[in-house]
DNA sequence: CGGACAACCTGGCGGC
DNA sequence: TGCCGCCAGGTTGTCC
């Protein structure tokens, strides 16, 4: 579910409620979502720490705490929201971890498919250290993308999904970026010329920024912390639009399997 | 290094 | 209405 734009919307929606709060208690309802340390140590270390900051790295949510870093990966179906303890919402059906806050409210982590991961580490780098660059950072320039591609072989779209190559792009935004760049997802990366790389760089940034502008894509699971859906699914050019007309040329969108992921593109204008 | 595939899970939807 | 199979915004480990 959540890619960079969706995770970005989650942290924006939670920041005011969480920064400055202290974690007073934790309830773990599905222990297998706690990674990196055991559940007993997780609870012991976490209680009493203050949330100093909230940020995103790739698709990870990072809570900077008094002494440690708490990280959450939403994977396919994770949701985070703050609620009064007595309040019941439909997502509560899939709560895996509850964090009690010092203002009496609680942060709930709901995750129907149980793929989500919660980490506690001395430093966030222990968990996110191997991620590739942030595609919306100033340091991610067309030249930087060129340099990254120089040392690579392989197929274009699977490489965009590789988080060690570039952090935050997932299946939706990879398909959308390749459509904007007019590039065939099956292209071998060592056949891209400088102009195509430049277009790709621009297309990745535009797709992600457009996703954020429309508050993320809601197909099934993703919701903002306030419970409302995003709107970018109404602006897809190719993703989830098999057989519908390409917005650029009218050719029906093709769906294929590439790297075990459904892949949508226009066979006429993506070369 | 890259590609293929299974595993981790549950829910929703289309088809019969 | 049921039941069945398929599909899903992600990662990771294993094998070739």
């Amino acid at each position: 579910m959540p890619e960079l734009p969706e995770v970005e919307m989650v942290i924006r929606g939670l920041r005011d409620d969480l920064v400055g709060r202290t974690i007073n208690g934790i309830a773990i309802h599905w222990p297998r979502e706690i990674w990196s340390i055991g559940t007993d140590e997780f609870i012991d270390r976490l209680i009493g720490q203050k949330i100093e900051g909230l940020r995103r790295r790739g698709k990870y949510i990072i809570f900077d705490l008094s002494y440690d870093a708490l990280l959450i990966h939403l994977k396919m179906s994770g949701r985070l929201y703050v609620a009064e303890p007595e309040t019941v919402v439909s997502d509560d059906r899939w709560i895996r971890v509850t964090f009690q806050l010092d203002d009496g409210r609680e942060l709930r982590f709901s995750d129907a498919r149980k793929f989500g991961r919660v980490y506690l580490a001395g430093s966030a780098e222990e968990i996110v250290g191997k991620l590739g660059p942030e595609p919306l950072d100033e340091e991610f320039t067309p030249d930087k993308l060129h340099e990254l591609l120089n040392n690579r072989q392989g197929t274009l779209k699977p490489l965009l999904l590789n988080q060690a190559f570039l952090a935050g792009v997932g299946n939706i935004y990879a398909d959308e970026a390749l459509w904007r760049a007019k590039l065939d997802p099956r292209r071998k990366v060592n056949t891209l010329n400088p102009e195509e790389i430049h277009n790709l760089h621009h297309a990745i940034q535009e797709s992600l920024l457009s996703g954020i502008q429309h508050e993320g894509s809601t197909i099934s699971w993703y919701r903002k912390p306030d419970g409302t859906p995003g709107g970018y699914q109404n602006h897809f050019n190719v993703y989830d639009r098999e057989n519908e007309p390409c917005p650029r040329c009218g050719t029906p969108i093709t769906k294929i399997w590439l790297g075990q992921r459904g892949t949508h593109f226009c066979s006429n204008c993506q070369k």
Side-chain angles (χ1 to χ4, degrees):
Chain A
M1 144 193 138
E3 306 181 31
L4 187 155
E6 290 75 32
V7 177
E8 181 66 27
M9 292 310 299
V10 170
I11 64 159
R12 289 185 188 183
L14 290 174
R15 191 172 274 136
D16 287 350
D17 284 333
L18 294 184
V19 174
R21 299 275 61 76
T22 294
I23 296 169
N24 277 351
I26 299 131
I28 298 172
H29 310 102
W30 190 256
R32 277 150 67 176
E33 297 216 357
I34 307 298
W35 289 71
S36 77
I37 58 174
T39 53
D40 290 346
E41 186 190 352
F42 180 84
I43 292 169
D44 286 349
R45 266 170 71 176
L46 196 46
I47 287 180
Q49 294 207 52
K50 183 175 169 184
I51 301 169
E52 307 281 1
L54 191 64
R55 59 194 167 98
R56 180 192 59 72
R57 175 77 172 94
K59 301 172 191 173
Y60 288 81
I61 296 162
I62 301 175
F63 300 70
D64 291 303
L65 306 174
S66 309
Y67 308 107
D68 288 315
L70 173 72
L71 293 92
I72 297 182
H73 197 303
L74 303 172
K75 289 289 180 84
M76 298 290 267
S77 58
R79 294 177 183 170
L80 278 174
Y81 48 97
V82 174
E84 303 288 340
E86 63 275 12
T87 306
V88 176
V89 299
S90 58
D91 293 352
D92 293 346
R93 183 175 162 198
W94 304 293
I95 286 184
R96 309 305 179 202
V97 185
T98 306
F99 303 86
Q100 282 113 33
L101 306 172
D102 64 348
D103 62 357
R105 301 205 288 171
E106 48 190 44
L107 172 67
R108 298 177 185 164
F109 179 39
S110 164
D111 180 22
R113 291 183 69 182
K114 299 178 175 170
F115 286 175
R117 292 186 173 193
V118 181
Y119 305 85
L120 188 65
S123 131
E125 279 302 294
E126 291 173 32
I127 311 299
V128 298
K130 289 181 179 163
L131 293 178
E134 280 294 318
L136 296 180
D137 269 8
E138 282 185 12
E139 296 140 42
F140 183 68
T141 60
D143 284 348
K144 178 70 181 172
L145 179 59
H146 204 146
E147 178 194 323
L148 290 171
L149 288 168
N150 265 340
N151 313 314
R152 290 286 184 158
Q153 307 264 316
T155 311
L156 183 52
K157 181 183 167 184
L159 187 61
L160 293 181
L161 296 180
N162 180 345
Q163 301 299 296
F165 175 76
L166 185 65
V169 175
N171 210 32
I172 292 176
Y173 295 93
D175 282 1
E176 291 295 319
L178 290 168
W179 179 84
R180 284 178 190 249
K182 301 185 182 178
L183 291 170
D184 188 316
R186 299 164 293 187
R187 279 282 291 278
K188 296 298 170 190
V189 294
N190 55 12
T191 69
L192 296 176
N193 66 40
E195 185 189 353
E196 289 174 326
I197 292 173
H198 195 275
N199 291 342
L200 177 60
H201 174 271
H202 190 251
I204 290 168
Q205 292 198 329
E206 290 296 306
S207 300
L208 295 171
L209 288 170
S210 190
I212 293 170
Q213 190 181 342
H214 292 285
E215 305 190 317
S217 310
T218 296
I219 296 167
S220 55
W221 295 108
Y222 164 71
R223 296 290 185 284
K224 290 178 283 169
D226 69 5
T228 61
Y232 193 53
Q233 66 282 1
N234 300 317
H235 300 271
F236 289 162
N237 296 292
V238 285
Y239 187 84
D240 204 21
R241 296 194 63 242
E242 184 180 13
N243 295 327
E244 292 177 49
C246 168
R248 210 159 34 210
C249 73
T251 302
I253 299 300
T254 304
K255 182 176 183 183
I256 60 169
W257 288 95
L258 185 58
Q260 288 75 239
R261 309 299 299 277
T263 297
H264 316 74
F265 69 105
C266 173
S267 60
N268 182 51
C269 56
Q270 290 179 249
K271 302 295 185 191

